[in-house]
Amino acid sequence: MSAGGGPAGRKRVWATPANVKLLPVSALADPGARNLVLQIGDAFFHGFLVRKDDAVHGYVDRCPHAGLPLARELDGYLTPDKGLIVCAWHGALFQVEDGLCVGGPCAGGRLTPWPVTVRDGSVYTA
């Protein structure tokens, strides 16, 4: 790992500029989740979006327990019933609406929010 938290030679950033169009809302199942990687200059941002009850929430793709990405499989962020976000490495469970850890090794911790907004049928960074 490099000092930026990514593979050697690949810098990582933990925030994005505002007003970047990410994808149409229709590209997200309800409920569903989607991984996104954005290149910002010479660094990369890793995040994911979760749609539930027609609301879209964004989070930095990093477990507060061990600092690893949450999913082992592409877009695999939700429990089988799609009610919670799950860390595939340690089984931590997070509420979709606010990222609060409600079970597992980081109980009481929280995912880092990634501010996003929906307008004109698309998801944008906020």
Side-chain angles (χ1 to χ4, degrees), residues 33-36 45-50 57-62 70 77-78 85 111 114 116:
R34 183 90 178 259
N35 168 276
L36 289 116
F45 171 84
H46 295 256
F48 65 99
L49 301 174
V50 180
H57 307 276
Y59 295 100
V60 173
D61 192 2
R62 187 171 194 220
L70 276 81
Y77 294 96
L78 300 177
I85 298 166
L111 295 173
W114 175 28
V116 296

Side-chain angles (χ1 to χ4, degrees), residues 37-113:
V37 178
L38 304 177
Q39 184 170 358
I40 301 170
D42 64 347
F44 294 86
F45 171 84
H46 295 256
F48 65 99
L49 301 174
V50 180
R51 184 176 179 192
K52 182 178 178 188
D53 299 330
D54 217 26
V56 178
H57 307 276
Y59 295 100
V60 173
D61 192 2
R62 187 171 194 220
C63 181
H65 170 239
L68 298 170
L70 276 81
R72 287 188 191 196
E73 295 181 17
L74 187 62
D75 302 334
Y77 294 96
L78 300 177
T79 54
D81 69 358
K82 300 186 186 307
L84 295 168
I85 298 166
V86 63
C87 174
W89 301 100
H90 301 103
L93 298 170
F94 304 89
Q95 295 178 154
V96 169
E97 299 78 11
D98 60 8
L100 177 66
C101 184
V102 294
C106 59
R110 217 175 265 281
L111 295 173
T112 301

Side-chain angles (χ1 to χ4, degrees), residues 5-27:
R10 185 168 171 164
K11 293 193 321 187
R12 200 146 174 203
V13 294
W14 307 104
T16 58
N19 295 315
V20 175
K21 186 175 182 178
L22 300 172
L23 47 74
V25 173
S26 61

